[in-house]
Every structure is written in structure tokens, then in C-alpha cells.
């Protein structure tokens, strides 16, 4: 599953029917593709076919700038929604953060040592707290304050920065603000959030306090695509850890930080590696 | 943590203050107790002290029939709620079951090989399905049909059977009926249920179907004491397992069975071993 | 992943090269196959291609009795090792057991409720202990005593019983005897064992005692195909559970039983569902 | 389990006998101690009693500078080995690192946000690589090169630095050098290592490569006190994560990093919080 230096990845979804695998494999074989990974899934109840296929571009005889034109007839025939990406073109990822820096620190370290295959052109925050960490990593840090009354202007400024930077994906690394519906709808399935509970349990505010009050024996974290409904988007990854009566709320917060870091970073990596397909408010994560 | 053949276990809860450990330890030392396990917990926010202490009766100079009289003055002084149990006296456990037999089979096997330190004088069901399994284990099996209209009579009959058998604890091993408030209140913290979700997520009906629809990445099971509010009682144990987009509802049901068996059997064993103290709709599980 | 009533599954391994997926997909498409699952893996370091493909036989125009003749030319061209199985033909599984019955009880219950897609024509043991359990499930139970000196005769008798029953796979459900090299070699990758440690740690005798002595914080269980080297065959599945200083050897044994049951049953189910391919003393488990 | 600002913690081990809990509790009660946590363990096979007891110093009438003199008679009477520590006095921790910085980054971040209750007066490395990270955190960074031939001189220099800094505990955060027996013996149970396997499996070099070659289904990490035998000291903590045939060695290394960070940081935190007692090459970790 390591990053290939020169490969293409095709993600497809379409109504399920016979011959889809053969049609796609034949198309690629025509141009001498060396298929490295192929994984598919059928959702029987929705009659949906989903596929991820990755091939080496070494020896591939179709220039990638001609790929769309060559593949579109097949896509049209089968009603496919598709996208293709090249490992040589790194996605551009923005990180939003507030005051808690643990997810940011974790993402930046993974990025530095090559776990995350992306560029990070900017970090946006409503606070100054994480500036030093951003600068240590050589990443521009923009503070856009958010108040009770300036949300619209703040988001306009954020959009300006994101567009200027040509961003492909936004990661909310414990960014404590709720984005407007308008913001989210402009970037469907490209805003990744980490929520500090095992959703759908304890959605909304103060999940650790509520987990403590309820007396659960495990706490969790959930990474999901952001939709217009709070904490309700397609789940990409979840994880839990055991707690006991000896753990007070502060202990939950501490143990939860480890969950949040691991869960968010997995979701981000899978997204960057084009492993995630979303449908019916769920995800398929190809491995 | 193995069962001692001849020990006593004291469970205490009281307002927290200085000197409680010393008071209890001194009392036991007076009678030459050999303390085998002692564990305590303070809930700081509720100013509550909780303790479990187990000692060998070999050489203990206070006859256990005099224990209550000897200990009550200390309990009174500190406002203790307490109970003591003897390893030589096995609790009497009733199992309620409907049609799904996996939890029943699991409990009975654990009981046969000595994992569960109890007697099982009867199994009650609203269906005939599990009779053969009960008989294989030599346990009387009573069918008490439950309909839309006869609930009151059915529960009266169940109570009659339970009282006749002198039952200390009831385990609902995927018993698909909701017990009445009146039933539950007669047996507080002594009816153990298994719910096939990670509570508080997916309480109520069809949790696996709802977990599938929501697209969660882990499913869970929860064992709890039954209270008058459905699926809301003090949680004793929880566990989760990973699922993926490849799992349909039937797969969730199958994976869930393994969770249900393990979680319920742990909760039952801990209850039988006097490890569970309940307060504020939570549990302390002493290990 | 549920069992399809009328499907075929093809397992393939061969040297990796371009066009394999297309070749196989095209072959199946020729006969109007409806592919339900397809999963492949490349072991880059060994230049090996492995694939599992399952398709519905509804509408498949190639009679399965002609499959081998039709597919062999493709197999020859690419140097494929392959086997095909039909969901309509249940594998025949023998269980070997000694005195510990927990794995046997678990397997039989899963079989009764349909988790294991097989017939169980016989159980072989060197002791009488589990006879009643076998009879409860209506399965012939054969006692073949094994002593220091009669191993060869005992295995001959076991073989006679196995051949008479037409067995496809043998499960050692905590069978405490070591099978001879000769026995194992007659049935490669078709004898599944459960070892009560996280291999390669604590291979051989008394793993729980040695885990206790070493002071590990987790214990494990491993299911693997049996080879002529003790506890060294290809690993199919492993799992661990947490222990603490409070657990003595007996507690490890108890916690370990739950691991053994779950790990063995998964390995058996995957084997029965033709999900396991073995090479270089490893396994690929297609999911 | 949060850090108390003004508490004392007593760790005791001695031959088990009756009355130990009462003796200790009474001693503390004499001076009006408010016991916050008390946990004990008996190792029956070794007839050993081990205890951790933490009390608030608010209202404690024995000045801590007189504690040793006051407690020693009790310790003598029962043959106790004991040590006491004050939450107000932070342990001084040195970190050794080579080139891999993930464990270092993780420890330093936890330290910055208050998860690790210690001072870090210095970091020692045989390479320059991590200097910038050390300086970002304001911690002196000393490079002591280690070659085939200069080990003795290098360790002498390391000792000089450690003594100058008054260090209480050393953490080997993927420090790739083996310390000499002499070094280790000067600091028993105070050098904490992280080994990147589930010990005792794959001790020694290149554990991820060997795990890959063996085809295990889970990989692990182990934190332990360093003894004169490589990878053989008392285990403090272990954890595992699932891998599959899709993971190559690089994937194992990546997944392993997350294990190493979590396992090492837990072990360090427990050590710093005086939760770990070591005996017979095992540990008790009081929770």
C-alpha cells in the first residue's frame, strides 16, 4: 500500500451490472496498463458498483491528458461517475485549527516524514496559539477571528485564502467552529472533521463530559466528511479505547486525544490516497 | 482473581472522609482476617467512597453469622451501605431467553466448566426453542408465553417461578420482551441485560440495521442493569468489533453475536463475584 | 459476505504479469457470469499474483462440469495454480478433540446456527469426554486412544475413518497430540490448528504458563495450517486480549479460551468459504 | 488519576502477611492523611505484597522531611522495601534518541501539554538529526557520537551529562544503540526502552522484517525496563495492531510507529506517576 511514484488511480461508481470489471480491465489492457491494485464492492441493496483501480504509468501507452476523452465513452455506456488522480500530483490540503494543537502536531509530523502524500499550503485558525508550530514546519499561518456576528465575513476571508492557495481538501483538526451550510456545500466530501466521540453517540457539544456522565466503558473518536447536518456526515473511520471508573473527565480527554490523532490521520491518509468513496451518507474505504 | 473456596467479600459505599480504609482494615484485623484483595474508589465529584475487600475465612475468628452485628456500628458511624457475601454460598441465577440461543449456550457452557460461580435453578422463556439445550444441561425449562394482552399475568407467573426457586439474579440472555417497571423495581441492580449496540448509540429496536444504515465502522454490545427506562441502566461492560463496507446486516448480526456472548458473560461473572457496585446510574467494576 | 446459495469461487495464484485480471474477467464474461466478489493481491517481492473471484451461477452458461476443460488453456498460458468450488457442495469437516471442549462446543454451535457452511461427518478424540456433546449434535464420535507406543496404529485408524467419511478438512480443536509428519503431508493446508499463544511467541508446550512467567501484558491465540514443523505453519488468524498483574495462570487460561474460540472459528469459516490462499508459509485471507 | 498538586505516593513491597494494610493505613491516619488512592497486589506464588498509596498533603501533620524516620520502624518490622515521592517534586527525565524522531516528537508534545509530569533537562543523541526539534522545545541537545570502538568513552560522556543534569530516569526513544551492562546496572529500573515488536516474539534486530516474513496477522510494540539482557527486562506495556497481506514491510513500519508512540508514552507516564513496581522480571502497574 506504499505510495507509488508514478501511478494513476481511478475511482468509479455506477449501477451494478454484468461485465463492468471486464470492461474496465480491457480498457486499461488496451493501453498496456500494469494493474497494481484493484478492489471493488457491490452494494446489493442499492444495486451499486464501486471500484478503485490503480496502475503503474510505466509503459502505459495512453497519455494521461487524453485519458478523459478515451474513457468517457465507457463511462457513458455504463452510467459511471468517475475521477482519476495521478500520484505525481500531490493534493493541496488546508488545515483548520483552534487552540488544541494535538491533531495539528500529529498531522504535521506525519506529513514531514512522508506518511501524508500532500502539500500543505496554509493553516487557518481563529486563534494565534498554533502559529509557532506552523512556522516550525514552514507553513503560512492565517488567523481569521470568528465572533458571534462576523461569521459570514470570516468565511468569505477563509474562502479567499483557500482559493488563492488552490486547495483540494480541508481538514478540521479540532477546529471548534461550525461551518455554514453554504461553506460545506461548496466542498462536498472534501472537508474532513474529527469528532471526539463514537458517533452517533454523543454528537454535538462536550462529548467527553456526557460519556463520563453516562458511565460508558469505552470512549471513541470519529472522522467523517462534513455535511450540512452537524456530526452527521459519512463516517470514514472510528476507533475506541477502554476507560474505567478510575478515569475522570480529564483522563477521558487525555485518552481521547490519542484516539483523535490516530483516527483523523487515518481518514486523511485514506482520502489523500483516493481510497474513500462516499454514497448514501456512508463511505467505502478501499484497502 | 480465581475463586477462593472459603472467603468473604464486603462491598461498601459511603460518604468519603478520612480514616475509612483504616477503620475497615482494623475491624478485620481484630478478627485475624487475611485480606486477599482490597480495592477502593473515590468519586470526587460526588464525595463518595466505594470499596471491595475480600478475605480468607481460614483463621478468621469472627463467625460470619455474627458479622452483621459486629460490623453495623462501624457502618452506622460512617453512613455505610454495605453487603457481605460468602464464596461458599453460590448465588442462584435465572436465565430468561427467547429464540436466539447463542448467549444461553455460551452462559451454560461457562457454567458447566466452572467459569460462573452460581447455581442455575431455572430457565424461563416465551418460546419452546431452547428447551433441548436446557435439558442437555439438566436445568428446568419453563415456557411462559407473552402476548400483547397477557403481560401482567405472564410476569406474575414468572415471579412465582422465581420466588419458588429463590433467585438472586436474573440474566436476560437476548430475552426480547421489555419487563414492566413494576417487575424491574422489585429487583434493582439484579437484572442484567445484553443490548446489541454500543449504548447510548442505537438504543431500542433493530440496532444492527440502524448501525448498517448509519455506516459506522465499529459495532458494539452493552451489558447493563435493567432500570425502568429502556436501555438506560448502569452499564457494566461494553465491547466493540470492527466492520467494513463489505459487511451487510447479516454479517453485523453474526459478528455481533460474538460481542454479545463475551460482554454478557463478563458482566454476569463480575456480578456473581461481587465486583460491581452501582451508583448514580453508573457502575464501579472492581478488578 | 453472506453465503450465496448458488455461486462458484475460483482461487488462483500465478506469476504476476500484465493482463491477468482482464484475461480472467473476459473468460467469465464469455459465459455471462455475474461477478459478485473479486479480490486480488500482488506479492511484489515474490512476483506473485493471487486472486479470488466469486460469481453467481444463475445465468452462467458454462456447465460447471465443463469448467476445468474450458479454463485450463488460460491457466496453462499464465502458469496458474487454481481450484474452483461450488457453494452448493458443502465441504466435509472432521473435528479432532481431546478433553477441553470449549472450541468444540463453539464450533458445533456455530455450525448449528449456520455460521459454518459445512457437513461434519465425524468427531475423533483420544478420550471419551466429549461424546455427549457430539451426540447432542447428532455427530458420530470415534475414540481412538493414543499412547506412547501406538501412534502409528492410531493414525492409521484415524485415516481409515477420515477416508470412509470423505473428509476435506480437519480441525484440531485443542487436540493435544502432535500429528506425524506423514499424516500432515497427506493433507497439506487442510489441517487447521489452534495454538494458545501469539505465535511465534511461546510456541510449544504450556504457553499460558510461560506468558505468565514472562510478565507479558497481552496474551494471544493463533490459528494456522499444520505443517511438519510444530506451531510453524502458515498463520490464518491471530487475536490478543489484555491481561494484568492481577491475572494468575488460571485467569490466563480462562481469558485465553475466549480467544481460542473466536480465532479458530474465524479461521475455519474463512477456509470453508475459500478465502484463504497459502504461499511461502504465509496466507492471504481475502475479505 | 489526574495529577494532584500536593500529594505523596508510597510504593511498598514486602513478604505478604496479615495486617499490612491496617498497619500502613493506621500509620497514615495517625498524621491525618487523606488517602486519595490505594491499590495493593499479592503475588501468591512468591508470597509477595505490593502496594501503592497516594494521599493529599493538605492537612497531613507529618512533615515530609521527617517521613523516613517515622515510617522506617514499620518498614523494618515487616521487611518492606519502599520509596516515597512528592507530586511537588518533578522527576528529571533524559531522552536518548538516534535518527527516528517520532517517539521523541510524541513525548515532547505530551510534555508540553502537561501529560508527562517531569522536567526534561537534556536530550542525548548519536546524531544531529533531532536538534531542531529539541531546540523548538527549548531543551539542550547533546550529540555524543558512538562508533564501533568508542563505546566506553561515549558512555562516560553520557554519564557525565546525566549526572550534571541530575537525572532520575532515562527514556530510550528508539535509541538504536545497545547500552553496556555497566551502564544499565547503575540505573536499575530507571531506563525505559521501546522495542518494536510484541516481545518475546522478534526480540533483537529488524522485528518488522521478521514479522513480515513470518506472516503474522498482528504486530506489536513493547516498552520495558532495560536490563543487561537485550529486550528481556520487565515489561511495562504492550500493544498490537492488525495487519494484513496487503501490508508490506514499509506499511508495518508506519503502523508500528503509532504503536511505539502510544506504548512508550504510557510506560513513561506510569513510571513518572510512580505506578510501576518491578519484581521477578515482571511489573505491577497500579491503576
Amino acid at each position: 500500500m506504499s505510495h507509488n511514484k508514478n501511478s494513476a488511480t481511478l475511482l468509479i461508481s455506477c449501477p451494478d451490472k454484468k461485465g463492468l470489471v471486464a470492461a474496465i480491465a480491457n480498457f486499461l489492457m488496451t493501453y498496456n496498463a500494469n494493474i497494481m491494485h484493484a478492489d471493488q464492492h457491490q452494494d446489493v441493496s442499492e444495486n451499486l458498483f464501486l471500484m478503485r483501480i490503480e496502475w503503474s504509468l510505466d509503459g502505459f501507452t495512453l497519455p494521461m491528458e487524453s485519458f478523459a476523452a478515451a474513457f468517457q465513452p465507457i463511462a457513458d455506456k455504463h452510467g459511471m461517475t468517475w475521477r482519476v488522480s495521478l500520484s505525481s500530483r500531490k493534493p493541496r490540503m488546508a488545515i483548520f485549527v483552534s487552540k488544541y494543537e494535538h491533531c495539528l502536531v500529529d498531522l504535521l509530523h506525519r506529513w514531514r516524514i512522508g506518511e501524508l502524500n500532500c502539500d500543505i499550503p496554509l493553516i487557518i485558525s481563529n486563534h494565534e496559539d498554533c502559529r509557532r508550530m506552523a512556522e516550525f514546519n514552514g507553513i503560512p499561518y492565517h488567523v481569521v477571528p470568528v465572533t458571534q456576528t462576523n461569521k459570514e465575513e470570516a468565511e468569505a476571508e477563509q474562502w479567499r485564502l483557500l482559493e488563492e492557495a488552490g486547495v483540494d481538501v480541508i481538514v478540521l483538526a479540532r477546529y471548534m467552529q461550525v461551518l455554514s451550510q453554504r461553506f460545506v456545500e461548496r466542498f462536498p466530501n472534501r472537508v474532513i472533521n474529527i469528532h471526539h466521540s463514537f458517533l452517533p453517540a454523543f454528537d454535538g457539544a462536550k462529548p467527553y463530559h456526557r460519556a463520563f456522565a453516562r458511565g460508558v466503558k469505552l470512549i471513541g473518536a470519529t472522522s467523517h466528511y462534513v455535511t450540512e447536518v452537524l456530526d452527521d456526515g459519512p463516517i470514514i473511520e472510528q476507533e475506541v479505547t477502554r476507560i474505567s471508573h478510575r478515569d475522570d473527565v480529564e483522563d477521558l480527554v487525555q485518552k481521547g486525544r490519542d484516539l483523535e490523532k490516530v483516527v483523523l490521520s487515518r481518514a486523511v491518509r485514506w482520502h489523500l490516497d483516493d481510497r474513500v468513496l462516499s454514497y448514501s451518507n456512508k463511505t467505502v474505504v478501499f484497502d
Side-chain angles (χ1 to χ4, degrees), chain A:
Chain A
M1 297 199 293
S2 313
H3 302 129
N4 187 277
K5 291 289 184 285
N6 191 26
S7 68
T9 299
L10 181 60
L11 284 172
I12 295 170
S13 63
C14 64
D16 193 20
K17 61 175 171 181
K18 293 183 183 184
L20 289 168
V21 173
I24 297 161
N26 283 333
F27 171 80
L28 292 174
M29 203 177 66
T30 306
Y31 301 103
N32 200 36
N34 189 10
I35 296 173
M36 298 155 51
H37 301 288
D39 197 4
Q40 60 169 99
H41 177 63
Q42 279 115 315
D43 187 310
V44 175
S45 59
E46 309 210 8
N47 192 42
L48 201 64
F49 174 88
L50 306 114
M51 189 172 201
R52 180 187 189 273
I53 191 159
E54 184 177 355
W55 67 97
S56 170
L57 294 178
D58 301 333
F60 190 58
T61 58
L62 175 65
M64 285 309 290
E65 56 272 23
S66 311
F67 183 88
F71 186 67
Q72 195 58 48
I74 292 171
D76 288 343
K77 184 176 170 195
H78 299 289
M80 292 174 177
T81 303
W82 64 276
R83 65 176 193 264
V84 73
S85 62
L86 304 180
S87 65
S88 60
R89 195 258 172 204
K90 288 190 182 183
R92 295 173 69 76
M93 179 171 95
I95 304 178
F96 280 43
V97 69
S98 281
K99 292 185 165 191
Y100 297 130
E101 71 167 18
H102 55 282
C103 284
L104 177 70
V105 168
D106 184 71
L107 288 171
L108 293 178
H109 179 251
R110 292 177 194 273
W111 171 72
R112 277 207 311 277
I113 65 176
E115 276 190 31
L116 301 181
N117 187 38
C118 64
D119 289 326
I120 306 181
L122 82 166
I123 295 169
I124 294 178
S125 180
N126 52 339
H127 294 287
E128 279 291 337
D129 302 58
C130 299
R131 181 181 295 280
R132 210 175 145 246
M133 180 53 62
E135 288 174 351
F136 177 78
N137 286 279
I139 299 172
Y141 187 82
H142 302 271
V143 173
V144 181
V146 180
T147 66
Q148 297 275 20
T149 56
N150 81 337
K151 187 159 184 163
E152 205 167 329
E153 296 85 337
E155 289 196 349
E157 170 64 5
Q158 290 167 348
W159 266 114
R160 200 189 56 74
L161 291 165
L162 294 168
E163 291 195 330
E164 196 175 284
V167 159
D168 299 298
V169 56
I170 299 170
V171 175
L172 308 182
R174 294 299 309 275
Y175 179 64
M176 309 297 279
Q177 302 292 320
V178 177
L179 300 175
S180 72
Q181 183 172 342
R182 221 173 122 234
F183 189 109
V184 171
E185 283 175 354
R186 287 174 71 173
F187 233 53
N189 289 329
R190 293 200 285 170
V191 183
I192 300 173
N193 187 40
I194 178 73
H195 183 73
H196 41 311
S197 84
F198 183 79
L199 290 176
F202 309 123
D203 55 343
K206 292 205 168 289
Y208 291 132
H209 289 79
R210 287 151 63 204
F212 178 78
R214 180 63 186 92
V216 294
K217 299 299 185 185
L218 303 163
I219 55 168
T222 303
S223 188
H224 62 94
Y225 289 120
V226 177
T227 59
E228 66 282 2
V229 184
L230 186 67
D231 298 332
D232 188 57
I235 293 170
I236 308 170
E237 173 64 338
Q238 302 187 287
E239 191 61 91
V240 298
T241 199
R242 190 159 285 274
I243 58 168
S244 84
H245 59 273
R246 293 192 191 86
D247 293 300
D248 57 28
V249 173
E250 252 184 82
D251 296 314
L252 268 52
V253 170
Q254 176 176 307
K255 290 187 171 182
R257 277 195 293 263
D258 279 343
L259 289 176
E260 296 165 31
K261 290 187 283 188
V262 164
V263 168
L264 179 59
S265 70
R266 281 188 204 146
V268 168
R269 189 167 66 244
W270 295 339
H271 178 93
L272 294 174
D273 291 350
D274 292 300
R275 301 195 169 281
V276 190
L277 258 182
S278 180
Y279 74 98
S280 301
N281 211 37
K282 293 183 180 190
T283 63
V284 168
V285 179
F286 292 111
D287 47 11

